[in-house]
Amino acid sequence: MRLGFFTRLLDDAPPGERYRLAAEQIRHAEAYGFDTAWVAQHHFDGEEGGLPAPLVFLAHVAARTERIRLGTGIITLPLEQPLRVAEDTAVLDLLTGGRLEVGVGGGGTPSAFAPFGHDPADRAALYAEHLWVLRRAWAGEDLGGGSRLYPPAPRLLDAVWEATFSVAGGARAGRAGHGLMLSRTQPRPAERPQATLADLQLPIVEAYHESLPPGAAPRIMASRTAFVADSRAEALRYAEIGLGRRPLPFELPGSDLDSRITAYDVHLGTPQDVIESLRADPTLRWATDLVFQVHSVDPPHPLVLRSIELLATEVAPALGRRPVTESSMK
């Protein structure tokens, strides 16, 4: 199981400082043996996510790292010109020495579509068309008039991940032989407000496996919120601040901190607290990649770094990953 770090770049700071802090967090994750680092793309709303240009940011990070794989989680493909995505990812993959992973999805903010001249009702069709063009470009096919992608990027055909909340989306990713990206949390159906995250995600995983071509190796990323601190009291103190900033994503009997931890599918506390909480998540048994983020707790930067350390040295080894040693951190 690969270990990953994910950020939506939501540190409580101006944009430039957010980018500096996120780059430092990724370098810290690399130093502690994390295999992958992922950044999200969000347009126009800094409270939802602080990065509209993930490939630009990852180019900056690539120059400051050596080993960690760098991924998009996700590029909102309906809003992008797919040939430009193909060109930018091709160049970036070369600059990273083949370390790029390309996560794509339909995007979750309807209000972002109008400025790009699109109707959110067309999201699914745009996504399918743009993904088709993107793959054709990477495959070196004729894009019109004899034009083909330069530089060539056939490796990226095997570096695609699709994010989805639905069983149909899981089956689609499986049929294509892509990786499957599972979110840290997702909306509960109106008729099942008390459903667990595993209740919703295990059917997606099953559909993905059933749809994979014969011989194709599954790639399943499970993203999870995990804020690990030296004491449970410290973790709860920052969770009360962070989780209190937004309305609950679905209706619960109460709005106290325990209800919010449940609503946002948060794993938090000491390393042992988080180990026990993660072990109770049956979805993780199927994950080839376990990717951690601190959203929506969003503690201060020094505590994000400390959480990265504790995840690498205590939590991940308890879940079956080889422990980080002093020599591996050099």
Side-chain angles (χ1 to χ4, degrees), residues 182-222:
L182 300 174
S183 178
R184 66 189 171 92
T185 189
Q186 67 183 74
R188 270 49 172 186
E191 68 278 8
R192 299 173 64 201
Q194 302 292 346
T196 67
L197 189 59
D199 290 337
L200 303 180
Q201 292 190 338
L202 284 173
I204 300 173
V205 171
E206 181 179 356
Y208 173 77
H209 271 279
E210 290 177 348
S211 303
L212 278 172
R219 290 180 290 132
I220 300 174
M221 176 198 297

Side-chain angles (χ1 to χ4, degrees), residues 43-66:
H43 295 286
F44 310 120
D45 186 355
E47 296 300 314
E48 175 67 17
L51 183 63
L55 298 176
V56 174
F57 176 78
L58 290 180
H60 168 81
V61 173
R64 289 157 177 80
T65 55
E66 296 179 356

